[in-house]
Amino acid sequence: MPNINNLKKYKTIHMIGIGGTSMSGIAEILHNWGFHITGSDLANSETVEILVNKGIKVTIGHNIEDVQKADVVVYSAAIKQDDPEMLEAKKWNIPTIERADFLGELTRCFKDTICISGTHGKTTTTSMISLCFVNALTDPSIQVGAYLKQLNGNYRVGNSDHFIIEACEYVESFLKFSPKTEIILNIDNDHLDYFKTFENIKNAFIKYVKLLPTDGILVLNGDDENCLDLANNTKANTIITYGINNANVNYYASNIHFNEDGFATFDVYKDHEFFDTFSLSVPGRHNVLNALACICICIEYNIDKAVIKSSLLEFTGAHRRFEYKGKVNGIASVYDDYGHHPTEIVATAKSLMNKKYHQSWVIFQPHTYSRTKNLLDDFANALLNFDNVIILDIYAARELNTFNISSKDLVNKLNSLGKHALYIPDFNECVKYVKEHIQKDDIVLTLGAGTVTNIGPMLVK
């Protein structure tokens, strides 16, 4: 049972930005533990509706009165210090805690916090591990970065000592946590708006593995040199490696083959001896790596092999991870994916190539000006993998455009590389163009972390 004594000083907790993926999960966990939760968000959403239906009071806009009644105010990273509710909390000397700090407090309520980190694949791998732990009846608490249908949400409240969470490196928020186990999937060039250099990203991960206790467990992707280097920086006694390209690891996948849907079946070797054959229900070679990370942690936690095999086969993907949305004009399949970094786009394109289809279409919405500017050439090269490319306007997220960059720069770059790319910023025009030009057995992929997800339903409607 989690020990919540360190939180008992807060009876009423107000959350600004409560509709966010992580914030909503925290809200529901606290609500289930008997805390009185109120919150606010800028806009109504599916997540907000779920919170309200659970009996949590959410205001769209601001609620100064709820702030005044709170023992503590928890706010998401996107909330500015001059937000009216933040100013009200300061006026009444009510403590304010940023989301990552508060999530760190939650990790200290559990004896066994399992953190899944890395630049790509966190949500999928967290979902795979969560499903195995739930099906093994270990009763974990869970917080995952997307809706998972087996959880009917993005969180689970359990009564065991296990807390399975995604631990994001952005603004080094994962350094606030107290992990017993860390799984590091990869280290890539991302969030340069914060980190500035790749060296700084690596240093953040070095600090992160130093958080593990001596009886902790560190799981590393053996195909990623930057991950392997981390083994020299931890005092954890148990280090487990996995890979596809590097056979000198504890868990190795070989004989990988794909069916018509692009789903893999592969043999796993544990310490160079045949272990078993596994099959997935999600596409792509990158998901074989994610599954390996899941397999090695589950074996370490003594989860039955049969449970791991059936759970991985049962897992059909988290929300917005190569998610099937339906047919357009009855002739072409539409998928939606969250990929917003060149490495993720390449992995998604490779997943697509394992499927059978006529031509591929990608509707891509770049995410943040800084990422588009820093990785422009990489984005262009990644998008060359698709037959037809449509680019939407950049989704600003947390940024102002001080970078002198636009989606037209990406279109021009693609055209200079010989790929005929189109810039269609208007969603309705984009949908109209695709509907007029697709052919039988084409695949259409909407790609990006922003509002591009709305285009799939518009196409399928």
Side-chain angles (χ1 to χ4, degrees):
M1 179 71 191
N3 178 359
I4 59 173
N5 286 336
N6 61 332
L7 298 178
K8 282 186 175 167
K9 56 184 178 281
Y10 310 128
K11 293 190 173 51
T12 298
I13 300 170
H14 183 72
M15 304 182 72
I16 312 174
I18 197 168
T21 305
S22 177
M23 288 284 277
S24 59
I26 293 170
E28 294 207 42
I29 288 170
L30 294 168
H31 177 70
N32 277 284
W33 282 348
F35 292 90
H36 180 65
I37 307 299
T38 60
S40 64
D41 211 284
L42 278 181
N44 201 1
S45 65
E46 201 181 339
T47 314
V48 166
E49 291 295 326
I50 291 168
L51 293 173
V52 171
N53 290 334
K54 294 270 170 75
I56 295 171
K57 181 186 173 189
V58 181
T59 304
I60 302 305
H62 296 293
N63 193 320
I64 301 301
E65 283 182 12
D66 282 343
V67 174
Q68 292 170 0
K69 293 175 192 165
D71 298 312
V72 65
V73 171
V74 180
Y75 62 98
S76 68
I79 305 300
K80 303 281 186 282
Q81 291 299 312
D82 61 356
D83 175 271
E85 293 183 22
M86 291 291 286
L87 293 173
E88 191 67 18
K90 285 172 192 157
K91 179 176 151 189
W92 293 93
N93 290 323
I94 296 163
T96 59
I97 304 178
E98 202 269 322
R99 178 202 64 86
D101 290 291
F102 196 82
L103 189 52
E105 286 297 309
L106 281 194
T107 66
R108 286 180 274 288
C109 296
F110 295 86
K111 285 183 187 152
D112 181 40
T113 295
I114 301 169
C115 292
I116 295 89
S117 307
T119 321
H120 321 292
K122 287 187 291 291
T123 297
T124 295
T125 310
T126 306
S127 301
M128 287 174 168
I129 293 167
S130 298
L131 199 51
C132 291
F133 271 69
V134 169
N135 289 344
L137 307 179
T138 63
D139 197 18
S141 295
I142 295 164
Q143 192 172 25
V144 61
Y147 181 91
L148 185 59
K149 68 169 182 276
Q150 287 88 352
L151 300 182
N152 198 23
N154 65 318
Y155 82 101
R156 181 183 190 274
V157 181
N159 284 308
S160 74
D161 283 325
H162 306 304
F163 185 27
I164 302 168
I165 61 167
E166 264 184 62
C168 184
E169 76 279 7
Y170 182 60
V171 300
E172 298 184 296
S173 61
F174 61 3
L175 299 183
K176 313 283 177 61
F177 304 162
S178 294
K180 174 77 180 292
T181 294
E182 290 178 359
I183 297 138
I184 301 178
L185 304 169
N186 40 61
I187 303 175
D188 202 352
N189 234 348
D190 198 15
H191 301 306
L192 292 172
D193 56 322
Y194 173 77
F195 285 111
K196 307 300 184 226
T197 68
F198 184 63
E199 275 308 304
N200 290 339
I201 298 173
K202 279 177 69 174
N203 286 333
F205 277 93
I206 287 168
K207 285 185 261 182
Y208 176 59
V209 298
K210 285 181 175 174
L211 299 176
L212 284 169
T214 49
D215 63 343
I217 301 166
L218 179 59
V219 178
L220 299 171
N221 177 357
D223 287 354
D224 186 320
E225 282 297 326
N226 294 309
C227 281
L228 283 178
D229 289 345
L230 295 172
N232 305 316
N233 295 287
T234 184
K235 55 180 183 282
N237 289 328
T238 306
I239 297 173
I240 308 164
T241 55
Y242 64 91
I244 295 174
N245 302 323
N246 175 6
N248 191 25
V249 288
N250 301 113
Y251 290 81
Y252 177 65
S254 71
N255 305 323
I256 303 167
H257 51 275
F258 298 91
N259 66 13
E260 282 192 7
D261 291 313
F263 303 159
T265 294
F266 55 97
D267 294 335
V268 173
Y269 288 80
K270 182 186 177 193
D271 298 325
H272 307 294
E273 289 193 6
F274 177 74
F275 181 65
D276 212 330
T277 302
F278 293 80
S279 294
L280 304 181
S281 301
V282 284
R285 192 177 173 88
H286 63 292
N287 276 321
V288 175
L289 269 178
N290 292 336
L292 276 175
C294 170
I295 291 163
C296 44
I297 201 64
C298 290
I299 295 298
E300 193 63 30
Y301 276 83
N302 299 315
I303 291 176
D304 188 77
K305 193 196 301 186
V307 172
I308 305 170
K309 285 181 76 166
S310 62
S311 300
L312 285 173
L313 193 58
E314 178 195 341
F315 176 66
T316 55
H319 179 52
R320 298 217 61 216
R321 304 309 189 272
F322 217 113
E323 186 179 13
Y324 178 68
K325 304 307 283 187
K327 293 271 190 193
V328 53
N329 295 356
I331 59 168
S333 300
V334 180
Y335 292 85
D336 181 44
D337 194 272
Y338 183 77
H340 55 286
H341 182 282
T343 305
E344 293 163 355
I345 295 171
V346 170
T348 305
K350 284 180 178 171
S351 302
L352 197 61
M353 287 166 194
N354 291 318
K355 291 181 177 285
K356 288 196 171 171
Y357 60 93
H358 173 244
Q359 277 203 329
S360 62
W361 291 75
V362 67
I363 303 166
F364 177 58
Q365 182 182 49
H367 190 262
T368 71
Y369 301 110
S370 58
R371 190 184 280 117
T372 310
K373 174 100 175 177
N374 285 322
L375 303 175
L376 188 75
D377 290 357
D378 295 340
F379 276 119
N381 285 312
L383 291 164
L384 292 176
N385 290 295
F386 299 92
D387 299 316
N388 302 279
V389 181
I390 297 173
I391 308 291
L392 306 170
D393 275 332
I394 295 168
Y395 185 75
R398 53 190 173 261
E399 290 181 344
L400 295 170
N401 190 6
T402 55
F403 299 89
N404 189 28
I405 187 85
S406 86
S407 287
K408 288 178 186 171
D409 296 310
L410 181 53
V411 171
N412 292 338
K413 185 74 192 174
L414 278 157
N415 288 334
S416 76
L417 293 170
K419 174 66 70 179
H420 177 55
L422 296 169
Y423 168 63
I424 311 179
D426 184 272
F427 282 21
N428 290 313
E429 280 181 34
C430 177
V431 168
K432 182 170 178 281
Y433 182 89
V434 172
K435 283 189 168 182
E436 286 171 0
H437 290 84
I438 51 160
Q439 295 173 24
K440 188 176 184 323
D441 296 329
D442 281 359
I443 283 185
V444 183
L445 179 72
T446 57
L447 194 60
T451 49
V452 65
T453 189
N454 298 329
I455 286 186
M458 289 167 72
L459 281 165
V460 170
K461 194 163 67 182

